[in-house]
């Protein structure tokens, strides 16, 4: 399946090196946690530190949107054509 | 005295008489600068019975001890006065570079009283002050005024000026600095106080420096943090996105005002997000001493929302209040509305709130199209928004009433309209929703200037952010009530210090937390304030402002949220059944503050803080 990934903040873009990408996955459906692990393997520790704390807590300073809705469960099933957005929370404003 | 010139200039604009008031070490140590010293001067010099737009009110400009020293983001300044919008204590904080220009001119602050016979400019240079005629500038917008003053005074001078809104006494008129980049002292209508005094601008410049208590230590501190600050997560994010970066998050968690605070999510969020802003952004803007650059400069070359060239871009508050709050989902329209507010000299938060209220009253038939001068002020109608902003800025037609602010509009339009007026003590609520984060409820209710997100600035640590330095090792539960009164009081004390130091509160997220700030203040002033005394000083300043308000008649009945935020449940999201428990927290808050049951500081508390 193919999912679209959008990096919605400087920190994510810096870690991934792109603003958005189409991610080809060898499965018909995958859980959100599995997709995030693929992204971490692809882009490295920088992205991992934004998505997980050392204690393995997910999303310490970010939100994950799937097709525009906030999802905080790592076992959420993604399907082909889904749009995944990583939105960081920057303080202030 | 290190860190200060030790001089505050007193100017009677009526007689033209000027006097240098000595600023002693004890007073400086007790009230620091900015809004602390401003509140001290207001308390000493302006009776609580003073008419805000009358001669007996004072308009006070104060820099802080960091201004002009290269301290990080310490070139801000504060304006303090009795507010014409609220009738109580008013203050407005402003970025840019005017704060350091005031100190370069040789003054720590200004106290302006009386009313000039004709429009004037106050000119300050190297310890000299004069009043010059401003007849040619009266009626000009802020951009034209800044350009004319730049030509007249040349480089090295900074101007703080008003536009037509201040001249016409719009009750939420702002004071503008930084040319087309427009850093604004926007809240509480202090531009109208300046207009009432017929003071078009204060221009400052020179070469005066303050001495530092420990210059070598300060240099080492600066080197250390000039590496740390830009490397933080929040600095990178704010540099990249500006404050607009928070819009998408606020929409997700129910913190974004939508449709005059009735909606839960804004379908048009993509159109006003940081990504949308990037499409019209041409460069960053840095305030004095800043290593982040969260300000935006935008340029829209053509189309219905074309700007007049590169101009200051909208901040999050503006994007929300003139965007989602009005269902305007086009960042270009918001940027144009922002430019108009900056040119006229209007507070975008109050303007957005007034427009939201007017749109709702129009939709419900409380006012007709004829009442609105024929403008079809429907939700999302950006052209109508711009048209009404022109009328408010010029105080024409319906703009006459709309320039009075939501509280007075509600009085004019009758009881049904009052439900749609979203203010505390007369100051329109900014773009963060107390139904999404409980500390905001108490912060809005108890803020001395009326509804304000920055007087406690605790909401970011109720979700996702940590502040170990202030006893928040993990983000707080955003809906919880327990512990919040103590938390809000603690944060208000800290923010009172930041507003007195006149440094940017965003630095708290960029490694300059309480410990480093205490250190920085010591290196500059040598006051010998430890962490506990630092926060105690903040408590003194917060209580002084409250004391002034008590003299103006403020008590528990005024520490309330507007009905819309207190009682309206929204349809979806985690927040759907959440209503802010302000009343439940207030009693404990008063007790922790050492105030009595009606919210007056007790004599024991005042004595403890050295206040009277």
């Amino acid at each position: 399946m193919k999912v679209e990934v959008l990096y919605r903040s400087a920190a994510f873009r810096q870690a991934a090196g792109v603003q958005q990408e189409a991610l080809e996955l060898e499965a018909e459906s995958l859980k959100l946690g599995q997709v995030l692990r693929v992204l971490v393997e692809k882009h490295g520790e920088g992205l991992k530190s934004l998505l997980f704390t050392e204690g393995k807590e997910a999303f310490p300073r970010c939100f994950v949107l799937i097709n525009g809705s906030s999802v905080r469960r790592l076992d959420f099933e993604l399907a082909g054509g889904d749009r995944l957005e990583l939105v960081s929370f920057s303080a202030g404003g | 005295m290190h860190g200060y010139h030790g001089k505050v200039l007193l100017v009677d604009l009526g007689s033209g008489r000027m006097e240098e008031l000595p600023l002693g070490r004890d007073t400086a140590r007790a009230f620091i600068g900015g809004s602390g010293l401003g509140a001290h001067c207001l308390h000493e010099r302006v009776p609580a019975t003073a008419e805000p737009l009358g001669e007996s009110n004072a308009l006070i400009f104060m820099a802080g001890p960091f201004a002009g020293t290269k301290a990080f983001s310490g070139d801000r300044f504060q304006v303090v006065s009795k507010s014409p919008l609220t009738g109580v204590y008013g203050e407005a904080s402003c970025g840019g570079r005017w704060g350091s220009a005031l100190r370069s001119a040789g003054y720590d602050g200004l106290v302006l009283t009386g009313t000039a016979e004709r429009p004037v400019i106050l000119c300050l240079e190297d310890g000299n002050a004069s009043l010059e005629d401003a007849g040619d500038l009266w009626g000009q917008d802020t951009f034209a005024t800044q350009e004319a003053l730049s030509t007249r005074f040349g480089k090295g001078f900074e101007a703080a000026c008003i536009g037509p809104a201040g001249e016409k006494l719009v009750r939420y008129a702002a004071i503008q600095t930084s040319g087309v980049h427009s850093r604004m002292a926007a809240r509480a209508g202090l531009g109208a106080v300046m207009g009432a005094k017929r003071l078009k601008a204060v221009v400052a410049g020179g070469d005066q420096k303050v001495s530092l208590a420990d210059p070598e230590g300060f240099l080492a501190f600066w080197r250390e943090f000039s590496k740390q600050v830009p490397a933080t997560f929040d600095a990178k994010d704010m540099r990249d996105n500006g404050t607009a970066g928070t819009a998408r998050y606020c929409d997700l968690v129910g913190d974004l005002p939508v449709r005059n605070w009735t909606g839960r999510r804004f379908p048009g969020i993509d159109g006003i997000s940081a990504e949308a802003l990037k499409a019209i952004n041409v460069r960053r803007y840095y305030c004095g001493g800043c290593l982040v650059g969260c300000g935006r400069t935008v340029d829209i070359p053509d189309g219905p929302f074309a700007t007049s060239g590169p101009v200051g871009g909208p901040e999050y508050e503006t994007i929300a209040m003139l965007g989602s709050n009005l269902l305007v989902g086009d960042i270009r329209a918001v940027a144009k509305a922002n430019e108009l507010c900056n040119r006229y000299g209007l507070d975008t938060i109050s303007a957005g709130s007034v427009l939201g209220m007017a749109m709702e009253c129009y939709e419900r038939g409380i006012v007709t199209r004829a009442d609105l001068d024929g403008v079809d002020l429907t939700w999302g109608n950006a052209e109508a928004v711009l048209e009404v902003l022109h009328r408010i800025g010029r105080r024409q037609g319906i703009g006459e009433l709309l320039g009075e602010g939501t509280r007075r509009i509600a009085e004019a339009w009758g009881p049904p309209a009052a439900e749609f007026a979203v203010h505390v003590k007369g100051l329109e609520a900014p773009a963060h929703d107390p139904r999404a984060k409980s500390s905001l409820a108490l912060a809005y209710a108890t803020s001395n200037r009326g509804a304000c997100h920055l007087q406690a600035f605790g909401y970011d640590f109720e979700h996702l952010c940590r502040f170990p330095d202030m006893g928040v090792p993990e983000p707080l539960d955003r809906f919880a009530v327990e512990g919040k009164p103590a938390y809000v009081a603690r944060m208000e004390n800290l923010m009172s210090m930041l507003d007195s130091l006149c440094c940017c509160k965003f630095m708290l997220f960029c490694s300059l937390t309480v410990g480093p700030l205490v250190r920085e203040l010591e290196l500059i002033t040598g006051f010998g304030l430890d962490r506990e005394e630092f926060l105690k000083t903040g408590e003194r300043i917060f209580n002084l402002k409250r004391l002034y308000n008590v003299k103006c008649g403020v008590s528990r009945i005024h520490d309330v949220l507007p009905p819309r935020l207190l009682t309206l449940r929204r349809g979806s999201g985690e927040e759907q059944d959440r209503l802010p428990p302000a009343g439940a927290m207030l009693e404990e808050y008063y007790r922790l503050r050492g105030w009595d049951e009606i919210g007056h500081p007790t004599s024991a508390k005042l004595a403890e803080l050295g206040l009277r």
Side-chain angles (χ1 to χ4, degrees):
Chain A
M1 69 173 185
K2 192 164 155 182
V3 297
E4 188 186 7
V5 184
L6 286 87
Y7 300 99
R8 292 293 201 182
S9 77
F12 283 120
R13 283 195 286 273
Q14 198 174 35
V18 292
Q19 292 202 15
Q20 63 183 83
E21 62 184 319
L23 195 64
E24 290 277 5
L25 299 160
E26 292 176 2
E28 286 305 304
S29 71
L30 277 179
K31 293 189 166 71
L32 173 61
Q34 293 171 301
V35 174
L36 294 180
R37 273 196 290 279
V38 171
L39 290 174
V40 167
E41 278 172 26
K42 185 174 178 186
H43 296 299
E45 287 299 311
L47 190 60
K48 186 179 178 182
S49 67
L50 294 173
L51 292 170
F52 304 97
T53 61
E54 285 177 14
K56 310 286 186 206
E57 179 201 347
F59 318 134
R61 288 290 295 272
C62 76
F63 278 80
V64 175
L65 270 64
I66 297 173
N67 301 325
S69 297
S70 173
V71 173
R72 299 193 73 77
R73 286 174 27 234
L74 289 171
D75 62 355
F76 185 91
E77 292 273 350
L78 275 91
D82 280 349
R83 189 171 80 151
L84 192 153
E85 295 171 77
L86 299 179
V87 182
S88 79
F89 164 60
S90 58
Chain B
M1 177 170 55
H2 296 301
Y4 297 85
H5 292 297
K7 282 193 298 190
V8 172
L9 183 67
L10 174 66
V11 180
D12 179 347
L13 292 162
S15 66
R17 194 175 68 86
M18 298 188 193
E19 181 187 352
E20 284 183 2
L21 304 172
L23 172 61
R25 180 182 162 90
D26 288 349
T27 304
R29 192 175 186 276
F31 301 105
I32 304 296
S35 71
L37 263 184
H40 173 68
C41 292
L42 191 76
H43 188 69
E44 296 288 310
R45 294 181 171 274
V46 178
T49 52
E51 159 56 37
L53 297 176
E55 288 192 14
S56 55
N57 196 10
L59 184 66
I60 299 163
F61 291 79
M62 286 285 172
F66 290 0
T69 65
K70 287 196 171 181
F72 298 101
S73 301
D75 283 355
R76 301 181 68 84
F77 68 98
Q78 289 268 348
V79 188
V80 172
S81 192
K82 189 175 180 192
S83 162
L85 186 61
T86 65
V88 299
Y89 174 83
E91 69 177 46
S93 174
C94 186
R97 296 163 190 277
W98 191 88
S100 58
L102 174 66
R103 297 253 288 179
S104 299
Y107 301 102
D108 298 310
L110 308 171
V111 177
L112 311 175
T113 62
T115 299
E117 248 182 62
R118 283 183 290 276
V120 292
I121 306 165
L122 175 60
C123 311
L124 309 167
E125 183 180 11
D126 286 325
N128 296 307
S130 60
L131 289 169
E132 293 188 10
D133 183 75
D136 56 330
L137 296 175
W138 204 251
Q140 301 285 327
D141 74 21
T142 60
F143 287 16
T145 301
Q146 291 279 356
E147 193 178 346
L149 292 172
S150 177
T151 304
R152 192 154 146 187
F153 290 90
K155 283 186 177 172
F157 286 84
E158 293 281 335
C161 72
I162 54 169
E167 296 173 11
K168 301 276 186 184
L169 311 182
V170 173
R171 288 186 190 269
Y172 45 94
I175 297 167
Q176 192 256 16
T177 71
S178 308
V180 297
H181 300 289
S182 296
R183 300 290 106 178
M184 314 291 283
R187 304 243 66 196
L190 306 189
V193 178
M194 196 157 157
K197 294 189 175 303
R198 296 195 188 90
L199 178 63
K200 181 67 178 176
V202 183
V203 181
D207 297 312
Q208 304 303 301
K209 303 277 184 207
V210 296
S211 65
L212 305 184
D214 182 352
E216 286 179 14
F218 178 72
L219 187 61
F221 176 90
W222 191 89
R223 284 184 177 140
E224 180 187 340
F225 280 91
S226 64
K227 289 179 188 154
Q228 280 190 37
V229 169
T232 56
F233 173 91
D234 289 292
K236 287 177 184 171
D237 219 75
M238 279 194 275
R239 184 183 311 130
D240 190 60
N241 292 319
T243 54
T246 203
R248 199 178 286 279
Y249 160 79
C250 291
D251 184 48
L252 283 170
V253 301
D255 194 26
L256 183 79
V258 179
R259 209 178 193 276
N260 199 29
W261 305 90
T262 59
R264 167 59 184 83
R265 293 286 300 272
F266 181 44
I269 187 67
D270 284 345
I272 58 167
S273 66
E275 291 79 22
L277 184 59
K278 274 197 171 77
I280 57 170
N281 185 53
V282 290
R283 71 181 81 101
R284 293 187 197 102
Y285 175 79
Y286 292 77
C287 294
C290 179
L291 298 174
V292 175
C294 72
R296 309 285 100 170
T297 302
V298 300
D299 191 5
I300 304 170
D302 47 38
F305 307 119
T307 55
S308 57
V311 297
E315 301 291 340
Y316 163 74
E317 292 294 328
T318 306
I319 288 169
M321 295 308 296
L322 292 170
S324 59
N325 191 49
L326 310 180
L327 300 192
V328 171
D330 183 345
I331 195 71
R332 293 167 305 161
V334 174
K336 185 62 191 176
N338 184 55
E339 185 195 345
L340 290 186
C341 288
N342 291 344
R343 280 181 175 273
Y344 284 113
L346 287 168
D347 175 7
T348 56
I349 294 176
S350 287
S353 194
V354 162
L355 282 159
M357 178 188 181
M359 282 178 167
E360 191 162 355
C361 288
Y362 180 46
E363 179 188 41
R364 292 170 184 265
I366 294 169
V367 289
T368 65
R369 190 163 174 167
D371 293 326
L372 298 173
D373 300 340
V375 179
D376 188 27
L377 196 59
T378 50
W379 296 109
N381 186 344
E383 286 82 3
V385 167
L386 301 184
E387 180 55 39
V388 173
L389 284 175
H390 279 299
R391 287 165 195 268
I392 295 170
R394 295 173 187 146
R395 209 95 202 230
Q396 288 176 338
I398 188 61
E400 181 67 39
L401 176 63
L402 298 186
E404 291 285 292
T406 53
R407 183 166 65 182
R408 288 175 174 83
I409 296 168
E411 287 166 10
W413 285 349
E419 191 188 330
F420 317 130
V422 183
H423 67 84
V424 176
K425 299 184 179 77
L427 185 67
E428 286 75 19
H432 293 284
D433 197 319
R435 290 168 293 188
K437 295 181 177 179
S438 62
S439 82
L440 280 167
L442 196 52
Y444 282 10
T446 61
S447 157
N448 284 308
R449 69 176 179 182
C452 177
H453 59 304
L454 293 169
Q455 302 280 300
F457 203 22
Y459 56 92
D460 275 340
F461 308 105
E462 286 182 291
H463 201 207
L464 304 182
C465 273
R466 295 163 172 79
F467 199 175
D469 215 4
M470 284 294 280
V472 188
E474 293 300 323
L476 302 171
D477 176 343
R478 64 189 177 116
F479 299 120
V481 172
E482 195 181 347
K484 293 291 173 70
Y487 172 67
V488 169
R490 223 163 53 233
M491 291 300 288
E492 285 172 338
N493 294 346
L494 175 61
M495 294 309 146
S496 295
M497 276 304 280
L498 271 87
D499 285 327
S500 302
L501 293 167
C502 295
C503 64
C504 177
K505 292 173 181 173
F506 293 168
M507 289 299 101
L508 292 172
F509 304 103
C510 303
S511 80
L512 276 170
T513 56
V514 182
L517 280 173
V518 171
R519 213 170 118 206
E520 196 174 20
L521 179 62
E522 180 60 17
L523 293 167
I524 289 172
T525 65
F527 278 163
L529 292 175
D530 61 19
R531 182 195 156 86
E532 194 182 328
E533 290 167 305
F534 184 90
L535 294 172
K536 196 74 182 172
T537 305
E539 185 185 3
R540 177 184 304 116
I541 291 165
F542 189 86
N543 273 272
L544 177 62
K545 295 171 189 175
R546 178 71 178 191
L547 187 57
Y548 188 80
N549 276 351
V550 166
K551 289 181 178 174
C552 292
V554 167
S555 68
R556 184 174 185 142
I557 57 168
H558 303 97
D559 293 343
V560 291
L561 291 184
R564 170 130 300 172
L565 299 182
L566 203 57
T567 61
L568 184 75
R569 294 177 196 277
R570 293 176 293 174
S572 62
E574 283 179 271
E575 305 76 24
Q576 61 177 319
D577 293 322
R578 308 281 182 171
L579 292 174
M585 294 188 283
L586 201 57
E587 203 160 311
E588 186 184 350
Y589 173 89
Y590 284 173
R591 186 178 56 76
L592 292 165
R593 276 266 177 230
W595 296 357
D596 65 19
E597 66 278 5
I598 58 167
H600 291 184
T602 59
S603 50
K605 173 53 72 175
L606 295 177
E608 176 195 317
L609 296 170
L611 297 173
R612 57 183 167 79

